[in-house]
Amino acid sequence: MRYILRRLGFYLVAAWAAVTLNFFLPRLMPGDPATALFARFRGQLSPEAMEALRETFGLTEAPLVKQYLTYLGHILRGDMGISVAYFPSEVSGVIATGLLWTILIAGTAVVVSFAIGTTLGIIAASRRGGWLDNVLPSVLIFVGSFPYFWLAMVVLFIMGFTLRWFPLGHAYSDNLTPSLSLEFISSVLTHAFLPVATVVVATLGGWLLSMRNNMVSVLGSDYVNLARAKGLKPARVIMRYAARNALLPSVTGFGMALGYILGGSLLTEIVFSYPGQGYLLVQAVRNQDYPLMQGIFLMITLAVLGANLIIDVVYLWLDPRTREIGR
Amino acid sequence: MNEPILKIENLSVDYVTGETLVRAVDRVSLDVKPGEIVGLAGESGCGKTTLAKAILRILPPPAIITGGKIEYRGKNILEINEGELRKLRWQKISIVFQSAMNALNPVIRIGEQITDVILAHKSVSPDEAYDRASQLLEMVGIHPIHLNSYSHQLSGGMRQRVCIALALALEPDIVIMDEPTTALDVIVEREILNQIKDLQARLGFSVIYITHDLARLLQFSHRLAILYAAHIAEIAPAQELQENPLHPYTQKLMRAMPSLVPSEVKPETIPGTPPSLASPPPGCRFHPRCDRAIEICQREKPPLVEKATNHLVACHLAS
Amino acid sequence: MKTNSQETTASIWVEAIRKDRKATAGAIIIGIFLLIAIVGPFFVGDPHEPVGIPLQPPSRSHLLGTTGQGQDVLAQVVVGTRMSLAIGFCVGIIVVMVGALIGITAGFFGGWVDSVLSLLINVFLVIPGLPLAIVIAAYLPSGPLTLGLVLVITGWAWNARVLRAQTLSVRRRDFVAAAVVTGESSLRIVSREILPTMTSLIVAQIIGSTVYAIGAQVGLEFLGLGDVATVTWGTNLYWAQNDSALLMGAWWTFVPTGLCIALVGFGLTMLNSGFDEITNPRLRLERVWRAFLGGLGRPPEPSTPVVRIAE
């Protein structure tokens, strides 16, 4: 438990760092931070509304510390200001609509890719040779060298525009309203397939290679040798004695790669006009909608921190040695 | 007559390093009789651990076995298939590694690491396997509650006892022990050695005991083989070797041991270092460090010849 | 017969690359692209100028077709190579320098310095890079400097983490401990004793960071956060997406650029594959062992193979 509490403490620090970064960024830029932050609101907002917005971001005449505390207070209450691109919606509301879609795409892709890539890595290391070990890793590394969004463009071009096997964009058919009907769910699945598949294909090679390399070192260890000497079945030696241990560094890597993959997944959303955070992000960039951009940044950071906490719990369960720490 | 159950003949093992091969075990012959404790002594890097692991064919890459045979009850281990090999492993020959810390899987409970070998070889229920595992732990003086422990929760001595219990799980004919006490302090070491001796007397298995500690071996084993730079230098019964060492290397080893020389005499050291196996000297491998080396020692490898009953030595001076 | 140490190191590198088939292939790919980046722009026309009808498929006069603005795609790809590689390599080097400065400082001094810097490293590792880069880049005037700055801010932490761990392990070795005891200055110990043990790691990190820098740069530019008036691989893709290349079926406007990005990334990764074996020596053992058995027509086996060559 001590371990989890310590990790939790660290994530709180990280979240605080992200919020603080958000607060200081506009103030570090040349000129009046409010000008930078609200440039696009000119003429759109009444002076009173403008005042309220300044208040949210703590952009008052008050001393910096007081501004900062005001800002923290608003963030803690979930108030991240008003979006320019989706004026006059609140940033928090705009983000909430897209968050689920992003988690659906990125979450599914990351889990599927990790599972398949890791399994392939185990097979590649245990077969020792064959095309799976010699050719497949290079092919997958090559595929993984393309920008995710570029793969998305090609996939969409072939499977969507040319072959017409999959829809061209959005999260579900325009003529449907969200419901728990079979029709709606299948529509969501067919719309999610290409974005997920793109990210899976792009990230597979990395997982395969890291698991294969971990396996090669673990297969040379004493405890795997002893398991072989025990005359256990090869499958048991590989899975229970080698893969189980080789998985540990991969799980750590999983946590660290999460943010990176999420970034790629956001760009993929743009190509598929998928209504997640990535799509919102591009709207925000185009409209210089700083409040929305910062809100998305915060939200994604929190999501990644949450996912990392889950990974820590999984790690705790996988490695009994972690449970002893701090006892 | 006491026929050997394990016969190693002209065994060679090489490590693949880039373009060349490095021979870590060179045409070594050794046999083990039922109930016998055979000691294998040599400096680190002389090939003793390689030899031990080659018997079970569990040397990891880049090792390859390049010649000879290893016969267990007349069956050549180097020629049987994976399935037969699996049946022979642990059931007939088991092994205790040098470092119990590394030999036990850190993320699997001790209990499972013992029961899985029982379940793999015997047709018993998981409950029976568990009971057997408890007995085994008790036999080496560990409370069965530790079946639920992970290796990091045990002390160094306990871990090594677990490994010994594990090695005896299937009552094998031969147990290979590769420096099982190096990582332990002297008191724990003595306890464990007594325990091994005790168990060996009770259960009657053979032991191949590997260590760099010649003094320990002289007390502990029936017969000894001295290994120098991948070659066997001398093989003799323990008492014979102690009283009449023939190889200059053995003699120097004896004089280098504080416990074997009278306390008023200072133990000697052997000048020089063991040769690199990648570029061993020609002829007798010990000649650069041997103060009695003669001309032939630089040219010809001395053959292993029987000088007295069961006393074999590879030295030009002895013949 | 005295060669200076610099030359020897260089020849070791060349040797290491030559020995590894993958590394050789990677080096060739990167060499070709460097050549394109340096001399290529002199052989193609102005990438900005409209030279034909927009969205023409590849033809004899425009080998890779034209963009939505009627510009020559080949010219854009070639000119884009120069800018993208320049930013990629520069950022790759700076990212490692920043990472080395912070990581080695943390590992060498230990104590509270390490605690603070480690926390900083870990926070930057866990905060997702792309959204952070976007937020920072959006406030700054667009251009290569901004791009470089945000890529460094979001990319240094990984290198710092690895180098910190490496410094910790080197610091424990006898020769460093001896230098500390004899009272040599920290700067001297780091530059004379510690850094030389890490050269291969640092080179590997520069290559890896360049892959990161090119990928992230392309991503940010695709979002429109670069200077969309300059020609780079990222802006090429930005314009392709903006001009609805997919809808128009104009695959030639984005396929060549994407292939170039992938080839460079792949080439650098292959070049780096040789370094995997430095950090994980078992990989090399396994490889030579397999190669040896393969040469004898033998498949690798789980049990120690018997190859009768001693008799």
Side-chain angles (χ1 to χ4, degrees):
Chain A
M1 254 318 73
R2 278 276 297 270
Y3 169 77
I4 289 296
L5 282 177
R6 240 179 38 189
R7 296 303 296 165
L8 196 65
F10 166 69
Y11 295 132
L12 284 177
V13 172
W16 166 80
V19 172
T20 308
L21 219 54
N22 251 347
F23 173 79
F24 280 105
L25 267 180
R27 286 168 179 80
L28 287 175
M29 300 306 149
D32 175 22
T35 320
L37 202 50
F38 306 129
R40 296 280 304 222
F41 282 116
R42 294 274 130 110
Q44 251 180 337
L45 282 180
S46 65
E48 294 80 45
M50 199 70 184
E51 242 354 90
L53 207 54
R54 276 174 163 277
E55 177 71 24
T56 307
F57 282 83
L59 287 165
T60 49
E61 297 299 312
L64 203 60
V65 183
K66 193 142 180 256
Q67 291 183 21
Y68 181 55
L69 291 177
T70 319
Y71 178 70
L72 278 185
H74 281 277
I75 293 295
L76 280 179
R77 267 175 276 144
D79 179 2
M80 295 185 274
I82 294 166
S83 158
V84 179
Y86 297 88
F87 185 78
S89 305
E90 297 240 342
V91 167
S92 47
V94 175
I95 291 175
T97 56
L99 195 58
L100 261 177
W101 295 122
T102 293
I103 291 177
L104 176 74
I105 296 293
T108 316
V110 156
V111 171
V112 168
S113 170
F114 182 78
I116 298 177
T118 303
T119 311
L120 289 176
I122 296 172
I123 298 173
S126 56
R127 283 280 168 79
R128 286 190 173 159
W131 70 276
L132 195 63
D133 193 27
N134 296 328
V135 183
L136 191 67
S138 297
V139 170
L140 286 177
I141 293 294
F142 182 62
V143 174
S145 302
F146 288 100
Y148 301 5
F149 66 86
W150 184 87
L151 283 179
M153 288 166 93
V154 170
V155 164
L156 185 62
F157 181 71
I158 297 171
M159 311 275 245
F161 284 96
T162 311
L163 298 172
R164 305 208 160 269
W165 287 353
F166 288 93
L168 301 178
H170 305 302
Y172 51 87
S173 292
D174 297 337
N175 51 19
L176 291 176
T177 43
S179 64
L180 270 179
S181 66
L182 198 66
E183 198 191 1
F184 179 73
I185 291 172
S186 74
S187 175
V188 166
L189 291 181
T190 48
H191 281 78
F193 185 83
L194 285 186
V196 170
T198 306
V199 179
V200 167
V201 166
T203 47
L204 214 49
W207 299 130
L208 189 161
L209 215 63
S210 70
M211 188 61 180
R212 189 195 88 99
N213 290 357
N214 295 342
M215 279 294 282
V216 169
S217 15
V218 170
L219 283 174
S221 73
D222 268 1
Y223 53 81
V224 172
N225 259 327
L226 190 78
R228 285 214 187 92
K230 278 158 80 175
L232 303 179
K233 292 233 166 63
R236 186 170 167 84
V237 175
I238 294 290
M239 296 310 293
R240 187 81 178 121
Y241 279 81
R244 178 64 209 281
N245 297 62
L247 198 60
L248 296 176
S250 270
V251 171
T252 311
F254 184 80
M256 273 186 284
L258 216 54
Y260 185 78
I261 298 173
L262 194 63
S265 165
L266 294 179
L267 295 177
T268 308
E269 283 179 10
I270 296 166
V271 175
F272 289 103
S273 319
Y274 204 83
Q277 303 292 294
Y279 188 70
L280 290 177
L281 206 49
V282 85
Q283 298 303 319
V285 170
R286 287 207 179 130
N287 296 298
Q288 288 175 306
D289 186 347
Y290 296 106
L292 183 58
M293 248 184 268
Q294 296 202 331
I296 293 173
F297 165 61
L298 261 193
M299 219 51 225
I300 291 174
T301 303
L302 287 182
V304 169
L305 296 183
N308 266 285
L309 189 63
I310 296 175
I311 292 167
D312 285 336
V313 175
V314 171
Y315 196 91
L316 193 66
W317 170 69
L318 281 176
D319 188 353
R321 284 165 296 185
T322 333
R323 289 171 221 160
E324 307 292 309
I325 288 176
R327 225 193 228 172
Chain B
M1 210 24 231
N2 224 353
E3 271 302 299
I5 46 169
L6 189 74
K7 276 175 84 167
I8 301 170
E9 259 173 56
N10 283 322
L11 181 72
S12 296
V13 181
D14 285 55
Y15 287 99
V16 184
T17 65
E19 286 100 57
T20 56
L21 296 177
V22 172
R23 181 149 300 170
V25 171
D26 191 17
R27 284 162 287 172
V28 164
S29 301
L30 184 71
D31 49 10
V32 179
K33 298 187 179 70
E36 187 183 30
I37 302 181
V38 176
L40 204 57
E43 288 162 287
S44 46
C46 72
K48 28 188 217 305
T49 297
T50 302
L51 176 60
K53 292 186 177 172
I55 297 173
L56 282 161
R57 287 181 60 191
I58 53 164
L59 281 167
I64 49 174
I65 295 171
T66 46
K69 57 182 177 182
I70 304 172
E71 278 186 354
Y72 169 80
R73 292 192 195 276
K75 197 191 280 175
N76 188 350
I77 295 177
L78 302 187
E79 266 153 22
I80 59 182
N81 63 31
E82 279 290 321
E84 289 175 285
L85 194 55
R86 215 157 58 226
K87 275 194 212 122
L88 178 127
R89 285 174 176 167
W90 222 257
Q91 219 170 158
K92 307 296 180 198
I93 306 173
S94 66
I95 184 166
V96 178
F97 281 4
Q98 181 171 11
S99 159
M101 183 75 189
N102 299 339
L104 294 171
N105 190 313
V107 302
I108 303 179
R109 287 178 204 279
I110 302 294
E112 187 184 336
Q113 295 190 59
I114 302 178
T115 53
D116 72 351
V117 75
I118 300 173
L119 289 169
H121 291 279
K122 299 237 145 81
S123 47
V124 294
S125 71
D127 280 345
E128 287 167 310
Y130 194 85
D131 289 342
R132 171 83 182 125
S134 313
Q135 287 168 14
L136 284 164
L137 279 198
E138 274 175 347
M139 186 175 79
V140 294
I142 293 178
H143 196 281
I145 200 164
H146 286 300
L147 286 175
N148 282 320
S149 299
Y150 292 97
S151 72
H152 70 269
Q153 294 167 322
L154 307 180
S155 70
M158 283 165 88
R159 273 197 287 269
Q160 202 53 276
R161 284 171 210 267
V162 167
C163 287
I164 291 167
L166 183 60
L168 298 175
L170 303 176
E171 301 185 338
D173 290 334
I174 303 167
V175 180
I176 301 167
M177 297 196 173
D178 182 8
E179 310 211 33
T181 60
T182 17
L184 307 173
D185 63 66
V186 193
I187 297 165
V188 181
E189 178 182 15
R190 180 158 313 155
E191 276 173 24
I192 288 188
L193 284 175
N194 287 338
Q195 197 158 49
I196 294 172
K197 229 174 167 169
D198 186 47
L199 289 167
Q200 194 271 337
R202 245 170 55 206
L203 303 173
F205 50 87
S206 310
V207 176
I208 299 175
Y209 195 93
I210 297 165
T211 179
H212 59 271
D213 186 351
L214 186 59
R216 189 75 64 216
L217 272 187
L218 286 169
Q219 304 164 358
F220 187 69
S221 49
H222 302 131
R223 211 150 52 88
L224 266 89
I226 310 288
L227 220 56
Y228 184 79
H231 286 161
I232 295 246
E234 189 164 8
I235 303 180
Q239 191 152 14
E240 163 83 12
L241 193 76
Q242 183 152 15
E243 286 161 6
N244 187 24
L246 292 175
H247 199 286
Y249 176 60
T250 318
Q251 292 164 358
K252 282 193 180 289
L253 272 182
M254 298 271 192
R255 266 177 272 148
M257 280 182 311
S259 50
L260 288 183
V261 281
S263 53
E264 60 270 21
V265 184
K266 251 184 106 179
E268 288 175 21
T269 51
I270 309 177
T273 47
S276 146
L277 291 175
S279 52
C284 171
R285 292 195 168 175
F286 188 61
H287 85 261
R289 296 170 78 187
C290 181
D291 44 20
R292 287 157 55 202
I294 50 175
E295 197 263 331
I296 189 172
C297 300
Q298 299 170 25
R299 281 184 292 113
E300 260 176 57
K301 183 201 162 191
L304 193 65
V305 287
E306 187 156 4
K307 287 307 291 177
T309 320
N310 290 328
H311 192 156
L312 290 85
V313 65
C315 178
H316 292 300
L317 293 168
S319 42
Chain C
M1 271 305 285
K2 236 182 139 187
T3 44
N4 79 37
S5 67
Q6 213 108 58
E7 258 176 76
T8 341
T9 330
S11 64
I12 290 171
W13 290 110
V14 173
E15 194 55 23
I17 291 172
R18 234 166 38 84
K19 262 194 194 155
D20 190 281
R21 217 161 26 128
K22 288 181 189 166
T24 317
I28 292 172
I29 295 175
I30 298 307
I32 292 172
F33 272 96
L34 284 177
L35 200 69
I36 294 175
I38 296 166
V39 302
F42 300 119
F43 292 93
V44 294
D46 183 357
H48 297 282
E49 202 180 329
V51 289
I53 308 157
L55 293 183
Q56 260 185 297
S59 65
R60 191 158 303 183
S61 51
H62 302 290
L63 289 176
L64 294 176
T66 58
T67 68
Q69 257 97 77
Q71 299 143 327
D72 185 55
V73 173
L74 179 66
Q76 292 213 320
V77 172
V78 169
V79 174
T81 304
R82 178 180 279 185
M83 195 60 169
S84 295
L85 286 191
I87 295 182
F89 278 105
C90 287
V91 170
I93 290 171
I94 298 172
V95 154
V96 173
M97 277 165 49
V98 173
L101 186 70
I102 297 180
I104 294 176
T105 308
F108 184 77
F109 289 102
W112 67 269
V113 176
D114 184 28
S115 303
V116 172
L117 291 180
S118 290
L119 185 67
L120 190 72
I121 293 170
N122 287 329
V123 165
F124 269 88
L125 267 178
V126 83
I127 290 180
L130 185 84
L132 176 62
I134 289 170
V135 172
I136 301 174
Y139 277 111
L140 295 169
S142 57
L145 268 182
T146 300
L147 213 51
L149 181 73
V150 298
L151 293 178
V152 171
I153 291 176
T154 54
W156 63 274
W158 172 252
N159 297 299
R161 181 191 160 99
V162 174
L163 289 173
R164 173 188 168 268
Q166 186 67 18
T167 309
L168 277 178
S169 82
V170 175
R171 204 187 181 297
R172 274 194 290 267
R173 289 192 210 152
D174 292 344
F175 64 96
V176 178
V180 173
V181 172
T182 51
E184 281 193 52
S185 78
S186 301
L187 195 66
R188 208 184 141 81
I189 297 174
V190 168
S191 61
R192 291 289 171 82
E193 313 279 355
I194 295 185
L195 269 178
T197 64
M198 304 203 282
T199 32
S200 49
L201 184 62
I202 288 178
V203 172
Q205 284 198 321
I206 290 176
I207 295 176
S209 299
T210 304
V211 176
Y212 149 80
I214 293 174
Q217 169 201 354
V218 167
L220 288 176
E221 287 174 337
F222 176 70
L223 269 173
L225 282 166
D227 180 357
V228 291
T230 56
V231 173
T232 68
W233 286 343
T235 50
N236 288 351
L237 295 178
Y238 168 80
W239 285 113
Q241 169 84 355
N242 238 27
D243 296 341
S244 310
L246 287 178
L247 202 65
M248 311 299 287
W251 54 267
W252 58 89
T253 58
F254 60 89
V255 168
T257 298
L259 276 174
C260 289
I261 297 169
L263 278 172
V264 168
F266 182 69
L268 288 170
T269 310
M270 289 292 111
L271 194 56
N272 236 356
S273 69
F275 295 103
D276 276 353
E277 298 186 347
I278 295 172
T279 48
N280 188 348
R282 280 228 76 86
L283 288 175
R284 196 186 63 80
L285 300 179
E286 176 96 9
R287 183 174 56 79
V288 295
W289 181 79
R290 284 184 191 199
F292 181 82
L293 289 175
L296 298 170
R298 293 272 303 263
E301 305 158 29
S303 296
T304 316
V306 180
V307 183
R308 299 201 171 273
I309 48 178
E311 279 129 22

